[in-house]
Amino acid sequence: MSQIQERGSTHVYKVNRISKEEIDSMAELCVYEQPPFCNAACPLKLDTRAFLKAAAAGDFKKALQLYEKIAPFPLILSRGCEAPCEAKCRLCELGDGVAIRAVEAAVARFGQQSKLGGIFRTKKKKNVAILGSGLFPLFLAGELEKKAYPITVFCEQEDLAAFLRCEAGFLDEEAFALELKRLKGKDIQFVFSCEFTRGFLEEKRGAFDVLCASESVAKRLFPEAAPVPELMYYEEEKLVSGPARGVMEAAFGAKKAALTVDRLAQNLDPRNTRGQEGPVGSRLYTDLSEAKELRRISGSGADYTPEEAAAEAGRCIQCHCEECLKSCAYLQHYKKHPGLLAREIYNNTQIIMGDHQLNKPMNACSLCGQCSVVCPNGFDMAHVCHLARQNMVSTDKMPLAPHEFALLDMLFSNNEAFLCRPQPGFERCRYVFFPGCQAAAIAPDTVRAAYEDLCARLEGGVALLLGCCGAIGDWAGRCEMEQQTREFLDRELAKLGDPIVIAGCPSCRKELSTHEGLRITGIWDVLLEIGLPAGGHGLDRPAALHDSCGARGEKQTQAAIRAIAAQLGCELVDTPYSGDRAPCCGYGGLAAYANREVAAEMTEKCLERSDAPYISYCMACRDRFARQGRESRHILELVYGTDAGDPPDISEKRKNRLALKYALQRELWGEEAMEKKLDYPLAFTPEARQMMDERMILTEDVIAVIEDFRESGEAIRDEDGLLVARRRVGNATFWVKFACEGEGFLIHRAWSHRMKVVKREG
Amino acid sequence: MAAEKNYYTIDPQGKLSCVKCGVPLIKGKAKFMYLDNGFPVELPVCPVCGFVYVPEELALGKVASVERALEDK
Ligand code: SF4
Ligand code: SF4
Ligand code: SF4
Ligand SMILES: [Zn+2]
């Protein structure tokens, strides 16, 4: 019995296989968190997407809340803004960009103002004075009021209406009245009819912590001085002010100035920690095919009605990138975009003590590489998860449990079930057929038919190699096991005279291509070259062709399979995500072993593309689709007119491999096959069979327990009279509940656990 | 010495017996071990030969969940 060493729990830090820099530069590729273009262009950073979404849904209250975050006086800003966002709207490329400003104006007018008055908030200790009038002082007062500073505005006007009139003369009466009401509602002190002189300023300097002024007041008082425009600050004069012409510049200036006030009030350098200010670029990718309405809603009047504004907002396609999430069931399951997931998975590999909460996601990716094709930036999550697994193994932190069954299966394929023989009558061969472990496990008759056909029709001898290519070791991140398999196979191939490998499976082909100096082709290419054998035929109804993830990037393979299907008379239906964009069936990357739930979702995702029967060219795909109840055939079954029938359970998959090997040994090579036979009857209830398949318990595990019982007589008798025996096999203890029936046994139940249990003294 | 904490207790209540020794199992001291961690428990044990029984529910329930937790440590 092959065994794999379980890891210890005391972690020895060995080889780190990934670096933070590498992960960071990979994560950078993902543009999911990049801002949409409209928002990137907005100097005030309105969350345009959320704003338009709320407006489109008719939720003007929420929309206004979002808008008020950047606009203390929404009616003024929305009527005067130059709207740089609109020019950058992606819809401009197809038709009209979204009329964002007009929607803002409607929201400002019709949106219900949130009640949040400033009066009852605890005020900051430091106070601020603003001298002058105009848009900049108004907006600055609004920004500082939001930040809860006690503010006093000193102006030349004699009352509030006059003050507001001079700033926003462009408002109509209704808008003016609304904004005046808003201004009155704010917690801002006003001192009217002031006359600004240097003396006035110096007097205020004594009473206030920070002084601000409109540009014209600052210029009048300090005609020689010049502000630092990024800070809106006269450094020498210690006066917050700067250029602010036009509505947008005033609003942006007020934002910068408010930050400067904030820093000054805390006695901090206003230059530091300001973050991103102003318009930025964006690398966001957007699938523009989602755009439906390309023409701007033309309003009935000068301004939009609420309905018109909602309709216009509804034209926004909510720019965001989720190409990978749309197509990958794994990413959908974890609801995370790869940039984030990659960082989290990397962090997981660096934990020395504590829970590795990302083990599951790391092991659930099928390593299929679909993301690398559908992502506009080629983000390859497979590479991240693969490296992370290798890293966990090399630092001795990888649990064995998720992959042990598959790894033992690989060892089984290359030990008990292994067969490597030259074609009868040859010592060295020009070719060797390598069907792959899953083909022998799932469709042994098809493997045999293919081998006999190749032997009959190819010159120079065709050897047969039944075994595993090593992909399982690779997928598990176990480089050493993969390397051992590679060396083992190379030795066997050398014995055959280093023949050209004819792979029966695209994943084997991919894995074997990593062998140095190995020449490899696919059986599909060979069949196209020598012609299909007689007797094959396609399905009698249209079918969907599922491309194997092992053939991603292999245009020739994909084309060859289609050509074979056409020659067989198959009618293929079009499916989304075919060719290089095909999703994985759930077997890849050992997802099916490490995370059945996610793997099942992957299978579903494959099948939801079509209701038709599925034709595939990887036996694992064939198997998983059939298990899901879909009519599913491997292309070689159609070529050879075989039918592998219902999908085998895990024990049958082993039995099939052994049976094929023994039959071929006897019938082709005239060898005596050493088939093990039980010398007592062993039967299973259907319930036991199903239970074993679900719990990954093999018939041979049950046999091991029964043999142990036959030898030792150790068992317990249960309430219901059944016997229960157990045996430790490798890293697990198997329990079997059974009835003795004469010489034989009827198995009722089986379970296992990995913990060891021992009696304790005392 | 402080009394050792038992993580889990099952009393067979005379319902199970050891086939080899022909005696009922009793509640006895046992220990689960996994990845260098040990957990004292009380399980059905044969008082003669020391056979420790892990019932199906325990194996698939508590034991499986502790295994998962330890594997990800
Ligand atoms: S497709 Fe996915 S990985 Fe690529 S940029 Fe978009 S969200 Fe990121
Ligand atoms: S479609 Fe919407 S999210 Fe995209 S750029 Fe235009 S307004 Fe912004
Ligand atoms: S399952 Fe495939 S498509 Fe999804 S993240 Fe993994 S490699 Fe990418
Ligand atoms: Zn006993």
Side-chain angles (χ1 to χ4, degrees):
Chain A
M1 178 71 209
S2 317
Q3 200 179 328
I4 306 167
Q5 184 65 43
E6 179 68 90
R7 74 176 167 98
S9 64
T10 34
H11 304 314
V12 196
Y13 211 71
K14 288 184 194 155
V15 202
N16 214 349
R17 303 184 78 107
I18 20 178
S19 69
K20 177 132 190 355
E21 292 67 45
E22 197 182 347
I23 288 294
D24 281 345
S25 70
M26 281 190 228
E28 265 294 290
L29 283 178
C30 174
V31 299
Y32 184 90
E33 281 168 346
Q34 289 281 310
F37 291 86
C38 49
N39 160 272
C42 171
L44 305 175
K45 293 283 166 300
L46 171 64
D47 186 349
T48 341
R49 234 174 359 196
F51 168 80
L52 290 171
K53 191 174 178 185
D59 189 350
F60 279 31
K61 185 171 177 197
K62 182 170 173 202
L64 184 57
Q65 264 169 25
L66 289 164
Y67 191 50
E68 281 179 326
K69 280 192 184 160
I70 64 146
F73 297 94
L75 284 154
I76 299 177
L77 185 66
S78 65
R79 269 160 183 76
C81 180
E82 292 85 352
C85 55
E86 287 183 8
K88 288 289 165 111
C89 173
R90 293 295 308 270
L91 294 187
C92 295
E93 294 161 39
L94 304 171
D96 301 334
V98 176
I100 303 172
R101 197 199 52 75
V103 176
E104 289 167 357
V107 163
R109 171 149 300 180
F110 303 110
Q112 195 190 339
Q113 206 189 326
S114 48
K115 291 274 170 297
L116 237 178
I119 324 274
F120 302 109
R121 281 180 303 162
T122 31
K123 287 275 167 184
K124 292 215 165 75
K125 296 264 168 332
K126 304 285 175 78
N127 58 359
V128 184
I130 303 175
L131 279 56
S133 51
L135 285 171
F136 171 69
L138 177 73
F139 289 156
L140 180 55
E143 292 289 342
L144 292 174
E145 197 249 7
K146 256 195 283 178
K147 290 177 190 276
Y149 282 100
I151 314 142
T152 308
V153 174
F154 298 90
C155 61
E156 293 159 312
Q157 289 76 14
E158 60 282 9
D159 61 23
L160 214 48
F163 172 78
L164 191 61
R165 182 76 66 200
C166 93
E167 345 243 339
F170 53 85
L171 293 186
D172 59 47
E173 275 319 306
E174 189 191 343
F176 184 83
L178 281 168
E179 249 7 3
L180 186 60
K181 192 170 151 233
R182 196 185 307 266
L183 179 57
K184 280 182 180 156
K186 290 193 191 286
D187 190 12
I188 302 171
Q189 303 299 315
F190 278 89
V191 179
F192 298 105
S193 310
C194 301
E195 231 178 275
F196 300 125
T197 60
R198 286 289 276 276
F200 182 89
L201 181 91
E202 293 314 323
E203 181 197 316
K204 298 303 165 225
R205 210 186 277 289
F208 291 86
D209 296 290
V210 186
L211 289 187
C212 312
S214 69
E215 192 186 12
S216 72
V217 170
K219 282 213 163 125
R220 215 183 305 154
L221 298 182
F222 304 104
E224 306 294 305
V228 185
E230 311 87 77
L231 307 179
M232 298 296 282
Y233 191 43
Y234 286 77
E235 284 190 297
E236 289 282 303
E237 297 71 24
K238 300 209 179 329
L239 182 63
V240 178
S241 182
R245 276 147 237 148
V247 176
M248 175 45 84
E249 202 189 11
F252 183 37
K255 216 168 188 65
K256 289 189 283 185
L259 190 56
T260 297
V261 169
D262 226 0
R263 307 277 308 164
L264 293 172
Q266 299 171 66
N267 294 321
L268 297 169
D269 186 339
R271 280 171 206 281
N272 294 338
T273 52
R274 296 185 69 93
Q276 266 291 4
E277 285 178 292
V280 291
S282 177
R283 294 185 291 121
L284 186 65
Y285 169 85
T286 307
D287 178 4
L288 291 179
S289 70
E290 285 178 27
K292 302 272 168 334
E293 302 298 327
L294 301 181
R295 291 287 155 235
R296 219 166 247 210
I297 304 282
S298 44
S300 44
D303 295 333
Y304 277 152
T305 63
E307 294 70 31
E308 289 163 350
E312 178 62 14
R315 292 206 309 121
C316 165
I317 56 171
Q318 295 286 304
C319 290
H320 60 289
C321 182
E322 57 173 24
E323 296 307 294
C324 55
L325 273 127
K326 276 193 257 179
S327 54
C328 168
Y330 160 73
L331 294 170
Q332 278 170 10
H333 181 90
Y334 289 104
K335 298 187 183 69
K336 282 184 182 155
H337 60 275
L340 178 66
L341 199 53
R343 285 208 170 86
E344 291 183 356
I345 286 178
Y346 168 77
N347 292 342
N348 189 65
T349 66
Q350 303 301 307
I351 298 169
I352 296 177
M353 300 290 280
D355 288 342
H356 294 82
Q357 287 176 353
L358 270 282
N359 276 2
K360 263 210 148 185
M362 172 187 73
N363 285 330
C365 164
S366 69
L367 308 184
C368 71
Q370 184 197 29
C371 47
S372 72
V373 178
V374 298
C375 167
N377 300 313
F379 196 105
D380 190 358
M381 196 63 200
H383 186 53
V384 173
C385 291
H386 193 209
L387 269 182
R389 291 181 204 181
Q390 291 179 347
N391 201 75
M392 293 290 284
V393 172
S394 69
T395 54
D396 202 22
K397 286 179 284 188
M398 182 68 133
L400 182 55
H403 295 146
E404 186 175 32
F405 187 93
L407 291 167
L408 287 174
D409 205 56
M410 175 170 89
L411 297 183
F412 170 81
S413 290
N414 287 346
N415 287 285
E416 290 101 306
F418 185 77
L419 185 71
C420 180
R421 296 284 184 276
Q423 181 172 339
F426 288 80
E427 243 175 62
R428 297 161 77 80
C429 293
R430 185 178 297 161
Y431 304 101
V432 59
F433 179 41
F434 193 107
C437 59
Q438 293 303 302
I442 293 158
D445 293 347
T446 308
V447 170
R448 180 166 181 162
Y451 180 56
E452 290 179 340
D453 178 43
L454 295 174
C455 282
R457 297 199 292 144
L458 287 176
E459 301 282 325
V462 183
L464 178 67
L465 202 159
L466 296 180
C468 169
C469 63
I472 290 177
D474 179 44
W475 286 339
R478 308 220 170 224
C479 303
E480 272 173 38
M481 290 182 80
E482 186 196 11
Q483 183 57 22
Q484 282 160 7
T485 309
R486 187 178 287 137
E487 287 165 11
F488 166 72
L489 291 177
D490 282 345
R491 281 196 300 275
E492 293 295 327
L493 291 170
K495 286 187 214 161
L496 299 170
D498 288 317
I500 299 171
V501 178
I502 302 175
C505 157
S507 292
C508 297
R509 185 199 152 117
K510 189 174 165 197
E511 174 67 25
L512 293 174
S513 305
T514 64
H515 291 230
E516 212 172 303
L518 185 141
R519 291 168 300 160
I520 191 158
T521 179
I523 189 170
W524 43 90
D525 287 331
V526 175
L527 286 175
L528 272 187
E529 176 133 4
I530 62 174
L532 300 188
H537 52 81
L539 296 175
D540 52 8
R541 27 195 199 116
L545 181 72
H546 173 77
D547 286 287
S548 156
C549 60
R552 200 178 309 289
E554 299 285 343
K555 292 277 186 234
Q556 191 190 326
T557 301
Q558 295 165 14
I561 299 294
R562 284 167 173 75
I564 292 174
Q567 288 185 23
L568 289 168
C570 295
E571 189 190 325
L572 297 181
V573 297
D574 276 336
T575 57
Y577 294 110
S578 71
D580 281 347
R581 294 164 61 86
C584 169
C585 68
Y587 183 80
L590 307 181
Y593 296 95
N595 198 320
R596 271 193 231 185
E597 193 189 344
V598 175
E601 289 164 15
M602 291 175 182
T603 314
E604 267 307 312
K605 189 97 196 147
C606 290
L607 292 178
E608 80 186 17
R609 293 175 299 159
S610 171
D611 296 328
Y614 271 48
I615 297 173
S616 48
Y617 47 101
C618 163
M619 218 40 103
C621 304
R622 186 238 183 249
D623 185 55
R624 289 191 63 82
F625 298 156
R627 279 187 160 238
Q628 207 58 35
R630 183 63 62 94
E631 183 178 349
S632 163
R633 306 296 296 278
H634 191 280
I635 189 87
L636 289 179
E637 290 177 81
L638 302 180
V639 168
Y640 290 105
T642 48
D643 184 352
D646 292 339
D649 68 23
I650 53 168
S651 295
E652 286 162 342
K653 281 183 184 168
R654 287 203 165 190
K655 202 171 103 195
N656 286 345
R657 271 174 280 181
L658 288 178
L660 175 67
K661 167 181 167 171
Y662 296 142
L664 291 172
Q665 273 183 300
R666 278 193 308 264
E667 290 155 33
L668 293 190
W669 283 282
E671 298 172 16
E672 243 181 85
M674 308 200 304
E675 216 160 334
K676 265 192 260 163
K677 281 242 157 58
L678 296 179
D679 47 12
Y680 51 89
L682 182 68
F684 297 82
T685 63
E687 199 192 1
R689 272 269 165 245
Q690 198 192 335
M691 183 179 286
M692 286 164 61
D693 198 45
E694 270 161 25
R695 298 176 181 179
M696 309 295 266
I697 297 172
L698 294 164
T699 304
E700 56 175 301
D701 299 325
V702 171
I703 292 174
V705 176
I706 293 295
E707 310 243 285
D708 194 65
F709 167 71
R710 277 165 47 99
E711 214 158 278
S712 69
E714 285 181 15
I716 66 122
R717 189 179 302 283
D718 196 6
E719 275 178 284
D720 44 21
L722 295 173
L723 299 188
V724 186
R726 49 86 177 99
R727 178 166 177 177
R728 185 89 185 160
V729 182
N731 295 311
T733 303
F734 293 93
W735 293 83
V736 177
K737 187 178 265 196
F738 58 98
C740 296
E741 301 199 323
E743 289 283 278
F745 304 90
L746 177 63
I747 310 301
H748 285 256
R749 306 187 72 80
W751 62 94
S752 72
H753 52 79
R754 298 179 69 84
M755 289 215 214
K756 263 192 202 149
V757 64
V758 292
K759 194 166 171 286
R760 185 158 52 100
E761 295 311 323
Chain B
M1 214 176 84
E4 218 171 348
K5 181 176 173 269
N6 283 309
Y7 282 82
Y8 200 84
T9 297
I10 296 181
D11 190 335
Q13 298 172 317
K15 288 176 187 158
L16 306 167
S17 61
C18 176
V19 173
K20 197 172 161 189
C21 311
V23 296
L25 301 192
I26 56 165
K27 185 171 88 173
K29 295 190 171 190
K31 188 169 148 189
F32 275 117
M33 288 184 315
Y34 192 43
L35 299 169
D36 296 351
N37 291 276
F39 304 93
V41 285
E42 289 181 316
L43 294 179
V45 173
C46 171
V48 181
C49 69
F51 189 114
V52 185
Y53 180 49
V54 181
E56 185 175 349
E57 312 74 59
L58 175 60
L60 299 182
K62 190 86 187 155
V63 168
S65 65
V66 174
E67 282 174 0
R68 294 297 89 80
L70 289 176
E71 280 156 11
D72 291 340
K73 281 279 169 223

